[in-house]
Amino acid sequence: MLGLMQDWPLLIPKVIDHAGLYHGNRKVISRSVEGPIVETTYSAIRRNALRVAKRLEKDGIRLGDRVGTVAWNTWRHLEAWYGITGLGAVYHTLNPRLFPEQIAWIANHAEDRMMMVDLTFVPLMEKLQDKLPLVERYVVLTDAANMPQTSLKNAVAYETWLDEVDDDFAWGSFDENTAAGMCYTSGTTGNPKGVVYSHRSNVIHSLTVNGPDMFGMASKDVIMPVVPMFHANGWSLAFTAPMAGTTMVMPGPKMDGASIYELLDTYKVTLSAAVPTVWLMLLQYLEQNGLKLPHLGKTVIGGSACPRAVTEKFRDVYGVEVLHAWGMTEMSPLGTICSLKPEVANLTGDAWLDIKETTGHPPFSVEMKIIDDEGTELARDGKAFGRLMVRGPAVAGAYFKGEGGNILDDNGFFDTGDVASIDPNGYMRIVDRSKDVIKSGGEWISSIDLENLAVGHPDVAEAAVIGIAHPKWDERPLLVVVPKPGRQPARDGVLAYMDGKIAKWWMPDDVVLVDEIPHTATGKIQKTALRDQFKAYRFPG
Ligand code: AMP
């Protein structure tokens, strides 16, 4: 017997219809690439998205065609996403921080037919366009007054292009499993792989990650998504915020401490989301200038491990609750968020920090388990750790064009490549990337735990730990440290600081100071490059 409820496909354009109709006056405030702050509303964004769809159709874009975006978080990027998906075409975010050759490789692999490009990236795309034979037209996300002279093929200013049509357009009608968006993985090994989100996966993901224990956004909130829309589906905030009718504050191209603070303060932002490095910059700026954050209630920090010291400082000095989150491009991207369940709500002191340091628990729609190398499921006792496997309606089932072959196990679980433990209350702790974990004497040492601990030292700005070959133990940890400006932390001082806070045999065998630690285009520590850099290193003695 079948249910008798309506068949209402879960489509992205319905999200902006809802926001336009029921939260129409709510603002989207952006720092424009041109400079000034621009305010618009959900109803205006909806009208422009209808024009984007109509205009794309006039340019010959059809169901399933890929439209690349090389753009910061602004209202125009939002209009583009909704317009592209409203037609049944596919937004494909390109990360401008990748090497130019990689950007070209990705755009060609995705077969992008059009490119929407911010002013910042016009010179980059001019250099690349000869390598992009499939791109028929470049739309520069600006108006006629700010349109530069450019050699880009069929270049047009976005506002001029839009002015050729009105908003009298009906969204495309298609199945909810139709592709909506694409984002390539950062590709630390081999070529990047394309993750293809569907309308259904994006809608379900956005619904579940906004539960009260997750993002928990309401119409009275003001969110600033600092995480760029070109990272991991922009953490889905471009859909979750309009669904909830939440005011959006978009930082555009400026993500330094002063610019972020200015927006947080001026627009009374209540919730934000970004990777740890952004928050480290902000904290430094606040400290140097003696500033506070009276409006910010919560901030989601993820993408890399959030150091304990950051969570503590946000709480004690600024009264802000850190929600540590974990996810990946292949998961749309959110997997877990660390909000406090009743079982742990009354913890204090170190026990509270221990929980806040975990990456939390999953929303409904994310299934999670840990397994050993034989595939046997491990206990959820907070001690055993193994490969973290996930399954759900917003988890990748395959990569674009079948790259990488079958990526699921016999039960349909995807191997995240992370090593983790899960405690009896369901709190997951990332121990390491399986490629980065240090194997010492047959046991594993978490490089992430050591890094998190080391950055708590007052003279340490950033820390990375890699395994160095060792004749007796197989591998031993080497701690690589970027000191804070003007500081020279001594090896023994750093080790003394760590002593007693971890098992003796986890203690790094040496500490090396460097000016810089290499990062990937998504801001993660590039362990492969660091291992290369220290290839010839041997421990003293
Ligand atoms: P990406 O797809 O580029 O977002 O990378 C996903 C990977 O980032 C995950 O598989 C983790 O290895 C890492 N990651 C994300 N969030 C965290 C976190 N909170 N703590 C530690 N690692 C994280």
Side-chain angles (χ1 to χ4, degrees):
M1 181 167 144
L2 291 178
L4 293 174
M5 306 313 279
Q6 297 182 6
D7 183 15
W8 194 83
L10 303 176
L11 299 178
I12 289 297
K14 286 181 174 151
V15 174
I16 202 65
D17 280 350
H18 173 81
L21 200 55
Y22 297 105
H23 304 281
N25 295 329
R26 210 87 63 242
K27 285 184 180 160
V28 174
I29 302 156
S30 314
R31 188 188 297 283
S32 66
V33 179
E34 294 86 347
I37 304 289
V38 173
E39 296 194 6
T40 180
T41 60
Y42 281 134
S43 68
I45 287 189
R46 177 178 174 271
R47 283 196 300 276
N48 274 352
L50 283 161
R51 293 164 75 207
V52 169
K54 189 168 181 172
R55 190 62 193 79
L56 283 170
E57 194 176 57
K58 205 168 158 203
D59 269 334
I61 298 296
R62 296 288 177 265
L63 189 77
D65 283 342
R66 271 78 71 199
V67 177
T69 65
V70 195
W72 302 111
N73 291 7
T74 68
W75 82 103
R76 287 193 182 114
H77 202 174
L78 270 186
E79 291 174 0
W81 273 28
Y82 280 104
I84 294 166
T85 52
L87 184 64
V90 183
Y91 64 85
H92 171 209
T93 51
L94 287 143
N95 183 345
R97 294 176 186 148
L98 291 171
F99 289 118
E101 295 71 35
Q102 253 181 327
I103 298 175
W105 188 93
I106 290 173
N108 284 326
H109 191 265
E111 299 173 39
D112 294 339
R113 285 189 59 193
M114 256 173 97
M115 282 285 172
M116 296 201 168
V117 182
D118 261 337
L119 281 170
T120 324
F121 307 117
V122 168
L124 170 73
M125 297 317 286
E126 281 174 342
K127 278 196 217 108
L128 274 185
Q129 70 169 337
D130 285 349
K131 300 198 174 92
L132 303 173
L134 302 176
V135 177
E136 295 155 36
R137 171 158 230 190
Y138 292 83
V139 177
V140 182
L141 295 166
T142 190
D143 55 14
N146 290 288
M147 183 68 179
Q149 278 290 343
T150 171
S151 63
L152 286 175
K153 195 196 288 180
N154 291 322
V156 61
Y158 175 77
E159 301 293 346
T160 312
W161 178 74
L162 267 195
D163 280 343
E164 290 174 27
V165 290
D166 58 26
D167 61 6
D168 183 15
F169 185 80
W171 300 126
S173 154
F174 40 82
D175 189 273
E176 64 181 13
N177 287 302
T178 303
M182 281 180 82
C183 182
Y184 278 67
T185 58
S186 18
T188 41
T189 51
N191 280 322
K193 296 186 186 69
V195 177
V196 186
Y197 310 109
S198 68
H199 285 256
R200 175 186 151 85
S201 71
N202 269 341
V203 170
I204 292 179
H205 179 262
S206 305
L207 282 171
T208 59
V209 300
N210 199 35
D213 270 341
M214 300 287 134
F215 281 133
M217 265 183 277
S219 56
K220 66 177 188 313
D221 282 312
V222 180
I223 180 149
M224 178 158 66
V226 182
V227 54
M229 290 164 76
F230 57 74
H231 273 188
N233 211 20
W235 295 10
S236 84
L237 292 166
F239 311 124
T240 358
M243 256 183 196
T246 304
T247 299
M248 296 181 90
V249 178
M250 304 289 254
K254 292 201 170 165
M255 276 170 283
D256 58 286
S259 306
I260 293 295
Y261 173 76
E262 185 197 346
L263 295 182
L264 288 174
D265 188 56
T266 311
Y267 299 103
K268 300 185 168 50
V269 171
T270 59
L271 170 70
S272 190
V275 295
T277 38
V278 167
W279 297 122
L280 287 170
M281 275 194 301
L282 178 75
L283 287 176
Q284 210 170 357
Y285 178 78
L286 296 175
E287 263 167 44
Q288 281 163 355
N289 296 280
L291 300 167
K292 292 283 182 225
L293 296 169
H295 311 292
L296 193 65
K298 296 186 288 194
T299 185
V300 182
I301 304 188
S304 306
C306 175
R308 231 171 142 89
V310 169
T311 305
E312 209 173 7
K313 187 165 281 174
F314 263 118
R315 181 192 64 178
D316 296 347
V317 183
Y318 301 101
V320 175
E321 183 189 6
V322 167
L323 295 172
H324 192 196
W326 165 86
M328 56 196 313
T329 307
E330 288 90 334
M331 297 183 72
S332 297
L334 237 41
T336 56
I337 290 194
C338 191
S339 59
L340 298 183
K341 301 188 197 182
E343 292 85 349
V344 295
N346 296 322
L347 295 178
T348 53
D350 272 355
W352 181 86
L353 270 174
D354 287 346
I355 280 292
K356 293 298 275 183
E357 200 179 34
T358 74
T359 48
H361 51 99
F364 171 71
S365 80
V366 174
E367 285 184 69
M368 207 164 74
K369 66 175 179 184
I370 43 173
I371 59 169
D372 64 16
D373 283 343
E374 278 70 53
T376 310
E377 186 167 350
L378 298 170
R380 294 167 189 252
D381 59 5
K383 295 187 189 83
F385 52 86
R387 282 155 56 198
L388 179 63
M389 311 290 289
V390 291
R391 186 166 72 171
V395 177
Y399 291 112
F400 189 48
K401 296 183 175 167
E403 300 287 346
N406 176 20
I407 59 170
L408 306 182
D409 73 6
D410 291 347
N411 300 311
F413 277 84
F414 172 79
D415 187 338
T416 62
D418 287 325
V419 174
S421 65
I422 304 176
D423 82 5
N425 293 317
Y427 283 77
M428 187 268 281
R429 173 187 288 273
I430 295 282
V431 173
D432 226 324
R433 288 294 292 165
S434 50
K435 294 190 287 283
D436 298 337
V437 74
I438 295 150
K439 288 136 198 136
S440 174
E443 300 286 346
W444 286 0
I445 299 175
S446 160
S447 66
I448 294 184
D449 279 2
L450 298 182
E451 288 157 8
N452 280 345
L453 182 56
V455 290
H457 186 285
D459 295 342
V460 173
E462 198 181 10
V465 173
I466 50 171
I468 296 284
H470 190 281
K472 179 165 177 201
W473 302 111
D474 192 15
E475 276 183 345
R476 289 293 304 156
L478 170 70
L479 173 61
V480 182
V481 160
V482 179
K484 284 196 179 153
R487 306 287 175 85
Q488 274 309 95
R491 169 190 187 273
D492 292 347
V494 175
L495 294 180
Y497 170 81
M498 298 173 80
D499 194 22
K501 300 187 179 92
I502 41 167
K504 273 261 176 275
W505 62 277
W506 277 40
M507 285 294 277
D509 281 25
D510 199 10
V511 182
V512 181
L513 303 191
V514 294
D515 293 336
E516 210 182 338
I517 286 173
H519 288 96
T520 67
T522 50
K524 297 185 207 303
I525 294 173
Q526 205 171 9
K527 293 275 171 91
T528 43
L530 200 62
R531 280 193 283 263
D532 267 357
Q533 195 176 324
F534 285 92
K535 215 166 35 200
Y537 176 88
R538 292 291 169 270
F539 289 116

